[in-house]
Amino acid sequence: MTTPKIELHVHLEGTVRAQTLLDIARRNDMPLPADTVEGLASLYQFTDFEHFIRTWILTTNCLRRAEDFRQIVVDYAREAASFGVVYMEGIFSPAERVQNGIRWSEMFIGYTEGAVEARERYGVEIRFTPDLYRSMTDFELAEECARQCVRYADDGIVGMGVGGKEQGLSLLPFRRAAQIVQEAGLGFVPHAGESAGPESIIEALALDPHRIRHGIRAVEDPAVLKEIADRGIVLDVCPVSNLRTRVVPTLEEHPLPQLVAAGIQCSISTDDPAMFDTDLGRDYEAAATLGYTAEQAYAAGVAGALDFTGA
Ligand SMILES: O=c1[nH]cnc2c1ncn2[C@@H]1O[C@H](CO)[C@@H](O)[C@H]1O
């Protein structure tokens, strides 16, 4: 039997395959910057990380209704199950959408109902870790998002993170938002060390993270590597994503082997599979090329998961 998989780092808005995204955009009367599958594919040729984030915001804005959110969870659960996923922590980004007039309940209810349907249909356990974004300046909104995460904890919200553009942006203003979820027993799972350097990871470590998303640039600072290993913090590594956003130039140069050699457990995920022209199979193949096995990835998934009770 193949090893079961645990996927801890997947942005649900980035899992929507091109034709489905076009259908959802049409039914919501939200024009996309491209109107064919091929057009979207060329839009997804990212020149750098910030270009990717700008494109992500443009294309994911067409997701607006509870029905959209429910559908994308169920669709991705089917895909994930086909690769042997038994448990996943999906990310969604509520703050961007609330700022566009969408209600919190539309998202939280849509996604969490999707998880119930996904479990019934495909047997995948889904939990959620919504993301704030680093460039946001409305920290009241960040804290409100944290309170919404707590409010929906019984429906499968197990943590909260911070994503988006990294360079030059501090995590520290999110301290209060992180505390709100932590005081309620949820985990804080920020992105750091993806496009920004180890200094971004040092800030993340100061906020008592349950895991760190990416964290690959820890390899540039031996003290940071050691602290992550000593504290047993799992990194959610997404090899194909790192190539597509060009934060790592070639697979041969990917830091996964150095992270492993430093004693750090790394889960393997797709990040935004539809936008990165990847899927779990391809990310596991990339990891295998780097000498990392599905068994190691599963052990890291178990160690890092916020609410996994066994396959
Ligand atoms: O690979 C990624 N790195 C960082 N942020 C990402 C990634 N994929 C999607 N997002 C999402 O981009 C939004 C930008 O405002 C954030 O909410 C973040 O969750």
Side-chain angles (χ1 to χ4, degrees):
M1 207 191 97
T2 54
T3 314
K5 293 189 174 64
I6 290 179
E7 183 167 35
L8 299 180
H9 181 168
V10 57
H11 296 263
L12 292 160
E13 299 94 330
T15 64
V16 187
R17 297 290 165 189
Q19 188 56 56
T20 308
L21 194 71
L22 292 167
D23 294 344
I24 293 177
R26 196 166 308 118
R27 81 181 179 221
N28 287 347
D29 204 15
M30 291 289 293
L32 287 173
D35 55 11
T36 59
V37 169
E38 298 73 31
L40 278 177
S42 63
L43 206 66
Y44 294 160
Q45 302 296 314
F46 308 113
T47 52
D48 59 22
F49 179 73
E50 291 190 18
H51 175 226
F52 158 67
I53 293 291
R54 284 197 305 277
T55 309
W56 191 95
I57 291 168
L58 265 182
T59 53
T60 59
N61 267 341
C62 69
L63 304 167
R64 298 188 66 84
R65 298 170 205 274
E67 171 55 24
D68 306 337
F69 305 124
R70 189 199 57 73
Q71 178 186 349
I72 70 177
V73 177
V74 175
D75 282 358
Y76 189 63
R78 181 176 57 236
E79 176 176 327
S82 76
F83 291 104
V85 169
V86 291
Y87 172 92
M88 66 185 245
E89 290 178 14
I91 305 167
F92 59 95
S93 298
E96 286 92 333
R97 273 162 257 302
V98 162
Q99 286 169 317
N100 284 328
I102 297 169
R103 288 195 309 274
W104 298 105
S105 58
E106 200 82 27
M107 292 175 275
F108 280 84
I109 292 177
Y111 281 115
T112 57
E113 285 188 355
V116 174
E117 186 176 335
R119 182 188 314 111
E120 284 166 3
R121 287 174 65 173
Y122 306 114
V124 184
E125 280 295 332
I126 302 180
R127 302 290 184 273
F128 300 97
T129 54
D131 248 0
L132 302 169
Y133 63 101
R134 270 186 200 239
S135 55
M136 71 193 290
T137 48
D138 183 349
F139 299 107
E140 276 298 314
L141 183 70
E143 287 155 35
E144 177 56 21
C145 184
R147 285 189 287 272
Q148 293 289 335
C149 289
V150 173
R151 175 173 174 197
Y152 288 96
D154 288 345
D155 299 311
I157 310 294
V158 294
M160 187 186 72
V162 184
K165 181 176 179 290
E166 273 181 4
Q167 300 275 4
L169 294 165
S170 174
L171 260 190
L172 300 182
F174 297 95
R175 186 186 290 276
R176 182 64 204 132
Q179 281 169 345
I180 290 170
V181 293
Q182 287 166 332
E183 282 163 8
L186 281 66
F188 184 54
V189 283
H191 289 62
E194 176 183 18
S195 70
E199 69 287 350
S200 72
I201 304 174
I202 292 171
E203 280 191 356
L205 290 168
L207 299 183
D208 194 16
H210 183 85
R211 300 192 306 275
I212 293 178
R213 301 202 184 275
H214 297 289
I216 53 173
R217 291 193 60 186
V219 293
E220 295 168 31
D221 185 334
V224 173
L225 268 186
K226 183 172 178 336
E227 184 169 348
I228 296 171
D230 288 351
R231 286 169 61 176
I233 293 174
V234 170
L235 300 183
D236 295 335
V237 174
C238 310
V240 176
S241 159
N242 297 150
L243 299 177
R244 301 287 192 252
T245 63
R246 305 188 190 226
V247 296
V248 176
T250 64
L251 186 58
E252 292 65 37
E253 292 164 88
H254 196 283
L256 177 61
Q258 291 159 267
L259 297 170
V260 175
I264 296 171
Q265 286 194 295
C266 298
S267 70
I268 298 295
S269 299
T270 57
D271 209 358
D272 296 272
M275 295 184 181
F276 295 144
D277 186 26
T278 190
D279 56 36
L280 264 185
R282 281 180 271 175
D283 267 286
Y284 272 70
E285 263 171 43
T289 305
L290 296 166
Y292 198 62
T293 66
E295 290 74 19
Q296 286 173 293
Y298 182 74
V302 172
L306 280 155
D307 191 29
F308 180 62
T309 49

